[in-house]
Amino acid sequence: VGSHVPSRVLTNHDLERIVATTHEWIVTRTGMRERRIAAAHEATSDLAVAAGRRALEAAGVQPADLDMIIVATITPDYPFPNTACLVQRQLGADRAFCMGLEAACSGFLYGMETARCYIAAGMAQTALVIGAEKMSAVLDWTDRSTCVLFGDGAGAAVLRPAPAGRRGIISSVFGSDGTLSELLMIPAGGSRRPATAETVAAREHCLRMRGREVFRHAVTHMAEAAVAALHKAGLSIADIRWVIPHQANLRIIAAIGERLRCPASRFIVNVEKYGNTSAASIGLALDEAVRDGRIVDGDLVLMVAFGAGFTWGATVMEWTG
Ligand code: ACO
């Protein structure tokens, strides 16, 4: 695994100078204290490449060994070509086939599952999965209800078949509900409402969210997906060493902990440092916990995500490293 965040830190106090908000409001409602913001010249693929390089180094894999690259993002460099192709170019992974994946905050888990299926089907041996976002590029910096919540970053993982006798990815469950798409979206800039002077003036190319409704669905679906993935694995929450939830809001994470009857001490949480980095969030938290020695070889890890679409999913794995 590997990760990367831009060096510029934007604190809650900095945000007080941009919109009508307070450090106290943001900490109490979300648990966030600061987030990272990419430089004007840095695009999502740049963050993705840095995270991908670290993951390749950690795995002892060369770019030329990669059969596939998936980049999950809702902030691609361009509408097309897909960001994975841009990552391939920078890495020099010329044997890999490359695809983008759009599942918002569930992107990293959807990407891992897609790679797992290709590997299980014998169509790839070595896959690089990256969740990367430059959320700062799609935020409405006049909307205090959304701009304080998100940050930029990237998380990456190299996937290979599990060694003999090891379980690797044990179970996963995924779901979506397209009937609720309008609760969290970017209304313009796609084929339904192509960018015009009017859509840009109305900031319709920025993220819009009905936060309270999203909150409710996020808790319900993440808790249910976690229970379903555990059931499918034949495990109980007591067997799980670490839970890595999507880092959307500390209150959402606490509510999931209550529903799963899992103490906060077994959750990997870094939302206070990075805010919601969407598709990057679980990969970023996984990398941090592996590198600081919390997650060790043999640990059972439950990852659970929810995002725009809506999309959601949960994966149980035995960490091998
Ligand atoms: N500073 C100060 N006040 C604010 C701010 C702010 N930054 N933002 C909103 N408020 C105000 C509102 O205007 C409202 O005021 P009012 O009562 O006078 O109308 C009040 O605070 C309460 O607003 P709520 O929206 O009810 O606040 P809530 O407690 O629900 O918290 C939040 C808002 C943090 C957005 C929460 O709803 C949330 O986290 N939702 C889920 C977000 C999420 O999980 N997203 C995940 C998916 S993201 C993806 O897929 C890309």
Side-chain angles (χ1 to χ4, degrees), residues 89-105:
R89 179 172 66 185
Q90 287 201 55
L91 290 178
D94 50 5
R95 280 200 324 104
F97 66 93
C98 304
M99 57 172 140
L101 194 154
E102 189 186 335
C105 302

Side-chain angles (χ1 to χ4, degrees), residues 21 25 29 105 144-145 184 211-212 248-249 251-252 276 307-308:
T21 191
W25 191 95
R29 299 293 177 118
C105 302
R144 67 176 183 177
S145 70
L184 178 50
R212 207 175 278 180
N249 183 323
R251 284 158 56 216
I252 293 179
N276 180 348

Side-chain angles (χ1 to χ4, degrees), residues 242-253:
W242 294 109
V243 180
I244 308 182
H246 169 50
Q247 312 281 313
N249 183 323
L250 195 56
R251 284 158 56 216
I252 293 179
I253 295 171

Side-chain angles (χ1 to χ4, degrees), residues 76-159:
D77 288 27
Y78 309 109
F80 74 88
N82 79 59
T83 307
C85 285
L86 306 174
V87 169
Q88 174 198 33
R89 179 172 66 185
Q90 287 201 55
L91 290 178
D94 50 5
R95 280 200 324 104
F97 66 93
C98 304
M99 57 172 140
L101 194 154
E102 189 186 335
C105 302
S106 308
F108 188 76
L109 286 195
Y110 272 60
M112 278 188 64
E113 180 67 357
T114 305
R116 185 190 73 76
C117 290
Y118 272 86
I119 291 170
M123 294 176 69
Q125 274 283 314
T126 307
L128 176 62
V129 176
I130 308 175
E133 304 282 10
K134 185 179 178 181
M135 295 302 290
S136 60
V138 298
L139 294 175
D140 178 350
W141 291 98
T142 66
D143 176 9
R144 67 176 183 177
S145 70
T146 53
C147 75
V148 305
L149 301 174
F150 295 91
D152 303 337
V158 176
L159 271 75

Side-chain angles (χ1 to χ4, degrees), residues 4-88:
H4 174 74
V5 288
S7 54
R8 184 179 160 211
V9 176
L10 186 73
T11 66
N12 293 348
H13 293 295
D14 295 329
L15 283 162
E16 288 175 351
R17 290 191 282 275
I18 300 173
V19 285
T21 191
T22 61
H23 170 73
E24 288 69 31
W25 191 95
I26 301 172
V27 172
T28 319
R29 299 293 177 118
T30 72
M32 296 168 193
R33 292 173 179 274
E34 55 188 48
R35 66 287 296 140
R36 300 300 181 97
I37 303 292
H41 66 271
E42 275 176 312
T44 294
S45 67
D46 301 318
L47 307 178
V49 165
R53 284 211 174 100
R54 292 207 177 122
L56 289 170
E57 270 167 37
V61 165
Q62 297 301 316
D65 299 333
L66 292 174
D67 300 310
M68 72 185 299
I69 302 175
I70 298 175
V71 175
T73 186
I74 49 168
T75 52
D77 288 27
Y78 309 109
F80 74 88
N82 79 59
T83 307
C85 285
L86 306 174
V87 169
Q88 174 198 33

